[in-house]
Amino acid sequence: MSYFQAAKAHFIASHQNPINQALHHLTNALAIAAIVYLFLDWRITLLCLVLTQVFALGGHAVFEKNEPAFVKYPGITILVAMSWSFERWFGLRQVLAYFSRTTDIEKSS
């Protein structure tokens, strides 16, 4: 298992509460908005970044009652979180599973 896969497994395991999951999807959307607003208004970027931390840390403190994933996997957690959200938002998990099954069938033939 790669470092990224291990970090993702840990991330998923520490985000089981549906409200915390929704808060983290919101924080990922805010992080994307922060990047966009960086070129328009730095104050909105700053507000988005502060809100990402409030929602993410609040979700862990109130709903999960565990420590955030970045404590164990600093640095890569933002990539893992974005990957997790994009899979959920756009159904990428199903697409990847389909192609994985297709290549497994081809290999066994």
Side-chain angles (χ1 to χ4, degrees), residues 3-109:
Y3 185 74
F4 182 83
Q5 291 169 329
K8 191 167 185 181
H10 177 71
F11 184 89
I12 291 169
S14 37
H15 297 86
Q16 295 298 307
N17 183 288
I19 297 172
N20 190 38
Q21 290 177 358
L23 287 171
H24 277 69
H25 288 305
L26 177 61
T27 62
N28 289 336
L30 283 169
I32 293 168
I35 294 169
V36 171
Y37 277 106
L38 181 62
F39 301 102
L40 301 172
D41 188 349
W42 65 269
R43 294 167 294 199
I44 296 175
T45 296
L46 187 61
L47 176 65
C48 287
L49 293 176
V50 168
L51 288 176
T52 62
Q53 296 307 303
V54 169
F55 291 145
L57 296 175
H60 282 282
V62 175
F63 300 106
E64 289 288 350
K65 300 195 181 0
N66 64 8
E67 65 181 16
F70 71 80
V71 173
K72 185 170 182 179
Y73 291 95
I76 197 167
T77 304
I78 188 72
L79 296 175
V80 168
M82 287 296 177
S83 167
W84 175 70
S85 283
F86 275 90
E87 287 175 1
R88 296 283 181 108
W89 292 338
F90 303 114
L92 293 179
R93 181 178 299 144
Q94 291 83 4
V95 172
L96 293 173
Y98 171 79
F99 285 114
S100 176
R101 283 193 308 265
T102 304
T103 55
D104 289 344
I105 292 170
E106 290 172 0
K107 287 179 184 177
S108 64
S109 297

